[in-house]
Amino acid sequence: DGAAVLPAPQNLSVQSTNMKHVLTWSPVMVPEETVYYSVEYQGEYESLYMSHIWIPSSWCSPTAGPECDITDDITATVPYSLRVRATLGSQTSAWSTLKHPFNRNSTILTPPGMEVTKDGFHLVIKLEDLGPQFEFFVAYWRREPGAKEHIKMVRPGGIPMHLETMDPGATYCVKARTFVKAIGRYSAFSQAECVKVQGESLPL
Amino acid sequence: GQEFRFGPCRVEGVVLQELWEAFWDMKDVVQAQDNVTSVRLLRKEILQNVSEAESCYFIHSLLKFYLNTIFKNYHAKAVKFRILRSFSTLANNFAVIMSKLRPRQENEMFSISENARRRFLLFQGAFKQLDREAALTKAFGEMDILLTWMQKFYQ
Amino acid sequence: IAEDNSDLLQHVKFQSSNFENILTWDSRPDSSPDTIYSVQYKKYGEREWLAKEGCQQITRKSCNLTVETGNLTELYYARVTAIDAGGRSATKRTDRFSSLQHTTIKPPDVTCIPKMRSIQMIVHPSYTPIRTGNGHLLTLEDIFQDLLFYRLELHINDTYQMHLVGKKREFEFIGLTPDTEFLGTTVIFVPTWSKESAPYMCRVKTLPDLTWT
């Protein structure tokens, strides 16, 4: 292939939050030119059994920006090696390889975004839509001494959902966390949010 | 969450539906290459009545064979048929499962592990009776039979 | 030079819904209408092709192979041979077929019973054409057992939903406002097989509260 005149991209790193994985690198600067990049990956199997084999990334072979969403390429909970090279016309840089292989079990799981509202006596929750890999565990309780905490598994996010039918005059509190089956990990709980129900008493 | 329970062997961190979807993405392309419709490698009698205790030994042998022989030698075809992504998903998840299997080696387990070994040898024997390329293509195309069997142990 | 008769036969495939397995095929619009078709099938791994009775030298382009492909642990092939009036012929085979993998799930049959402050939803069994040894029809619940769930949603004034999920067949949405219309949907889903039916829908109104009249 073309002579390796272009400098190889530097400072490769992966930012991964809530199972969305983005590979970034420092752009190769060539005045008044658009440099393209190609990203390739190797799972643990490929690196152990066929180390010469690299697989072109789904979305970034090639790409113009100095980053690549590799979420669709990381489909097992194993270390993945990643590499990038620059291309300008017929010129191609050497490959730059991520220093430490990336494993999706290192993703940062944030407490889920949550809106707690009420409709009459209905306690309603809307959770952040984080995609099909996420399950939500919602804990809710009536704020009173010795109150029992109820847990519900909710899926998917993004849809306002009835959680409980509340008693008049009571205050109910809710918190939620996520669970990702593929990596067997939970997020931290969100801050608890509470709502109070008007005090009308039900007709006898 | 859900996990594989092959008798005493437990495996978390693998989502079976992801393996199915990876296989279904390439199923018709792969199976269309297998014109030996009169031979099935993972025959019913090999997969039937596998006890819980036996299942860990058996799946360990099968996955080891798939990773060491079938995936390794099918890779060029995977490039040709443009199914590398599905290929990688299945290979790496099978590698995860295999790395977490710890079949017990105590003496009292010998007869159980031998049963499992006989089953595996029936499969391997059928594989060896075919022409090498035909056998690789057939075994790779029978991963749905393997996944269907594994599914019984996914709880 | 081999004759190209591909116009006689195209898209030979199984269509499967609730384990009713229909073989279908096409021919090009300009092919002669008096073409006749014959169907054979076999289990994957067996040598012999078997002729499907009732689908020999037919002119229609479908054939019900439910009974012949009814063993859920087997995989199957079918093939069609077409012969036109001019004696030209073509044979085409399906992809390898597994009803467990391929079948789609039809919406369930549900009875929605409105009360004053609740709505009861009774899901009826979904029968398949597959028979047990003693002639009983299998239901989806028999086939998928603890892998099958029902997911019910009650849409409340288009702003939020109530959800119920479970394996039993009787559900009740409670804590509702009397004399109010709701949209209920019910789906069958089998997550392990990535199968989900289209929803059964019912629009019902809770009964008025006559306590104070």
Side-chain angles (χ1 to χ4, degrees):
Chain A
D1 54 34
V5 176
L6 274 179
Q10 297 302 312
N11 306 318
L12 273 62
S13 74
V14 174
Q15 281 76 47
S16 175
T17 304
N18 290 332
M19 295 298 272
K20 182 177 171 64
H21 323 307
V22 179
L23 174 68
T24 61
W25 57 87
S26 305
V28 173
M29 308 306 287
V30 179
E32 291 150 38
E33 293 282 3
T34 302
V35 174
Y36 288 91
Y37 305 92
S38 292
V39 175
E40 293 185 345
Y41 67 93
Q42 225 182 32
E44 185 175 45
Y45 178 78
E46 286 84 8
S47 50
L48 288 178
Y49 286 79
M50 40 184 74
S51 54
H52 59 291
I53 299 295
W54 289 83
I55 302 169
S57 141
S58 302
W59 305 112
C60 313
S61 281
T63 182
E67 66 173 50
C68 173
D69 184 339
I70 55 172
T71 305
D72 289 346
D73 300 322
I74 309 295
T75 54
T77 306
V78 296
Y80 277 80
S81 302
L82 293 146
R83 68 181 188 180
V84 187
R85 73 176 171 186
T87 305
L88 175 58
S90 65
Q91 299 173 63
T92 305
S93 79
W95 288 103
S96 245
T97 303
L98 186 66
K99 195 175 294 180
H100 304 295
F102 167 72
N103 190 320
R104 66 180 180 182
N105 61 14
S106 65
T107 193
I108 296 165
L109 293 180
T110 61
M114 179 177 81
E115 281 170 48
V116 178
T117 56
K118 63 175 189 260
D119 175 56
F121 296 119
H122 284 180
L123 177 60
V124 178
I125 185 171
K126 182 179 178 185
L127 290 154
E128 181 181 5
D129 184 359
L130 291 169
Q133 301 209 352
F134 284 78
E135 294 171 352
F136 299 87
F137 286 84
V138 178
Y140 60 94
W141 62 96
R142 178 174 161 147
R143 194 161 67 182
E144 59 185 10
K148 181 172 179 285
E149 188 175 87
H150 303 274
I151 302 277
K152 240 181 199 177
M153 200 275 272
V154 171
R155 201 168 68 175
I159 301 169
M161 295 248 299
H162 166 275
L163 202 51
E164 179 65 282
T165 300
M166 302 182 282
D167 299 327
T171 297
Y172 285 76
C173 298
V174 184
K175 62 180 181 181
R177 65 175 175 171
T178 64
F179 176 70
V180 180
K181 199 162 55 174
I183 58 175
R185 278 183 45 214
Y186 291 90
S187 74
F189 269 107
S190 59
Q191 283 290 325
E193 287 187 28
C194 302
V195 292
K196 178 173 172 51
V197 191
Q198 286 75 16
E200 305 98 355
S201 57
L202 282 174
L204 294 177
Chain B
Q2 285 172 300
E3 62 179 11
F4 283 108
R5 291 185 195 159
F6 298 107
C9 302
R10 300 295 170 99
V11 178
E12 282 182 344
V14 174
V15 181
L16 185 55
Q17 291 91 323
E18 285 179 359
L19 305 192
W20 271 118
E21 273 139 30
F23 182 79
W24 284 330
D25 281 350
M26 62 176 187
K27 171 187 180 300
D28 291 341
V29 169
V30 169
Q31 291 181 346
Q33 310 307 317
D34 179 4
N35 288 310
V36 186
T37 60
S38 56
V39 173
R40 168 172 163 169
L41 300 177
L42 286 168
R43 299 193 307 274
K44 274 171 59 179
E45 53 271 28
I46 292 175
L47 299 174
Q48 248 163 232
N49 309 321
V50 178
S51 69
E52 290 254 339
E54 210 182 319
S55 60
C56 189
Y57 298 98
F58 185 48
I59 189 63
H60 188 268
S61 303
L62 277 176
L63 292 185
K64 191 174 175 184
F65 185 76
Y66 264 84
L67 290 170
N68 288 351
T69 304
I70 295 165
F71 275 95
K72 195 170 181 183
N73 293 287
Y74 192 85
H75 183 267
K77 287 187 170 65
V79 175
K80 177 182 160 189
F81 301 134
R82 305 168 72 87
I83 53 169
L84 268 181
R85 197 163 160 272
S86 291
F87 175 98
S88 182
T89 299
L90 286 157
N92 281 287
N93 277 284
F94 278 0
V96 169
I97 296 170
M98 216 181 90
S99 68
K100 297 186 175 183
L101 295 173
R102 292 282 179 277
R104 290 168 53 195
Q105 301 307 330
E106 293 92 313
N107 289 340
E108 71 260 28
M109 299 302 286
F110 179 76
S111 67
I112 291 175
S113 64
E114 266 311 290
N115 282 343
R117 180 147 184 75
R118 267 193 295 273
R119 286 181 192 276
F120 171 72
L121 291 177
L122 285 173
F123 161 73
Q124 192 181 42
F127 180 88
K128 288 180 173 174
Q129 278 180 16
L130 289 177
D131 151 78
R132 175 80 171 175
E133 289 305 308
L136 283 170
T137 296
K138 183 169 283 299
F140 199 78
E142 287 192 2
M143 264 194 283
D144 53 356
I145 298 175
L146 177 57
L147 290 173
T148 301
W149 181 78
M150 290 169 69
Q151 190 153 310
K152 295 178 198 163
F153 301 88
Y154 191 65
Q155 296 155 29
Chain C
I1 301 172
E3 233 180 334
D4 173 21
N5 299 336
S6 58
D7 62 308
L8 289 176
L9 260 181
Q10 293 173 348
H11 314 133
V12 178
K13 62 184 178 196
F14 278 98
Q15 316 242 25
S16 179
S17 185
N18 278 20
F19 296 97
E20 180 175 46
N21 308 326
I22 311 292
L23 181 68
T24 63
W25 56 91
D26 292 323
S27 57
R28 274 221 302 261
D30 55 1
S31 66
S32 69
D34 46 14
T35 301
I36 55 171
Y37 306 97
S38 298
V39 171
Q40 293 177 300
Y41 65 93
K42 74 169 183 174
K43 282 179 188 168
Y44 170 53
E46 288 189 359
R47 199 169 293 280
E48 199 186 341
W49 288 90
L50 306 173
K52 161 63 180 170
E53 216 177 300
C55 295
Q56 299 303 306
Q57 303 185 357
I58 56 175
T59 54
R60 67 177 188 279
K61 293 174 187 156
S62 71
C63 173
N64 189 324
L65 284 172
T66 297
V67 173
E68 292 76 12
T69 57
N71 184 329
L72 301 181
T73 63
E74 294 288 358
L75 301 104
Y76 296 91
Y77 284 102
R79 67 182 182 188
V80 182
T81 299
I83 304 173
D84 73 2
R88 294 189 311 143
S89 80
T91 297
K92 281 202 176 142
R93 186 187 82 192
T94 65
D95 289 325
R96 196 177 301 168
F97 172 74
S98 148
S99 53
L100 260 179
Q101 290 180 53
H102 290 92
T103 207
T104 58
I105 306 284
K106 293 178 185 171
D109 179 25
V110 181
T111 302
C112 305
I113 306 167
K115 300 179 181 176
M116 192 165 68
R117 291 183 181 281
S118 69
I119 294 172
Q120 196 180 8
M121 315 266 276
I122 300 173
V123 186
H124 302 290
S126 298
Y127 284 96
T128 74
I130 299 179
R131 290 185 185 278
T132 59
N134 49 28
H136 285 296
L137 288 178
L138 281 178
T139 65
L140 291 179
E141 293 79 4
D142 296 327
I143 292 170
F144 289 115
Q145 299 189 354
D146 60 359
L147 300 178
L148 184 144
F149 297 83
Y150 303 105
R151 186 174 64 234
L152 294 84
E153 294 169 4
L154 195 71
H155 296 247
I156 300 172
N157 52 44
D158 286 338
T159 53
Y160 62 98
Q161 302 169 12
M162 282 181 153
H163 277 200
L164 291 172
V165 176
K167 297 177 183 174
K168 57 185 170 69
R169 279 205 246 103
E170 291 199 15
F171 298 84
E172 189 161 11
F173 289 107
I174 57 173
L176 304 180
T177 309
D179 201 21
T180 306
E181 188 170 85
F182 297 92
L183 168 66
T185 70
T186 307
V187 299
I188 297 174
F189 74 115
V190 187
T192 311
W193 285 103
S194 305
K195 294 182 189 298
E196 180 165 328
S197 74
Y200 172 90
M201 294 192 172
C202 61
R203 201 171 278 279
V204 286
K205 194 169 189 180
T206 47
L207 307 182
D209 181 354
L210 307 177
T211 317
W212 299 102
T213 50

